Amino acid sequence: MTFKLQKHPTFRTTATINVPTDGGTIAQTLSVRFKVLPEEATALEPVEFLRQAVLSLDDVVDDQDAPLAFSAELLEEVIAPPYVRIGLIRAYWQRSEEHTSE
């Protein structure tokens, strides 16, 4: 297969978020589309990295299980807790590593 140099590569993956509860953590998942960022983006603070890398989030619901549409406001709300940032960043790098090892 011929190598295709993309100007703005993206990828979709599933992020596992370990949500803390009184009884430990509960693994919840969401689908996320990331934009591949340049290497210098690794120096960004986690919140800013995610603001730049996340293009969309799917499978996010409110307390009544109603689906929430992706928006900049939703992204800010989702990435506010540190445990969510950890899960999203882990998903970004795991999927990126899978691409580099294929």
Side-chain angles (χ1 to χ4, degrees):
M1 174 178 245
T2 304
F3 174 72
K4 183 176 183 179
L5 182 60
Q6 297 175 317
K7 289 197 180 270
H8 306 287
T10 66
F11 62 94
R12 179 170 296 283
T13 192
T14 299
T16 299
I17 310 300
N18 293 313
V19 180
T21 67
D22 288 339
T25 59
I26 296 175
Q28 298 179 7
T29 61
L30 62 108
S31 177
V32 58
R33 176 164 294 286
F34 288 110
K35 172 174 51 172
V36 176
L37 298 180
E39 188 171 338
E40 56 268 14
T42 60
L44 295 171
E45 292 295 322
V47 170
E48 187 56 33
F49 178 87
L50 291 170
R51 284 179 182 144
Q52 291 185 29
V54 174
L55 296 175
S56 68
L57 298 169
D58 294 314
D59 307 325
V60 180
V61 297
D62 65 14
D63 288 337
Q64 289 76 40
D65 291 329
L68 297 171
F70 181 73
S71 66
E73 293 80 19
L74 178 66
L75 177 61
E76 292 301 316
E77 191 173 344
V78 167
I79 65 176
Y83 59 88
V84 177
R85 294 193 300 268
I86 290 167
L88 289 172
I89 290 171
R90 182 181 299 126
Y92 178 94
W93 289 111
Q94 285 176 340
R95 189 67 179 131
S96 294
E97 288 173 4
E98 288 173 15
H99 283 300
T100 59
S101 64
E102 290 178 347

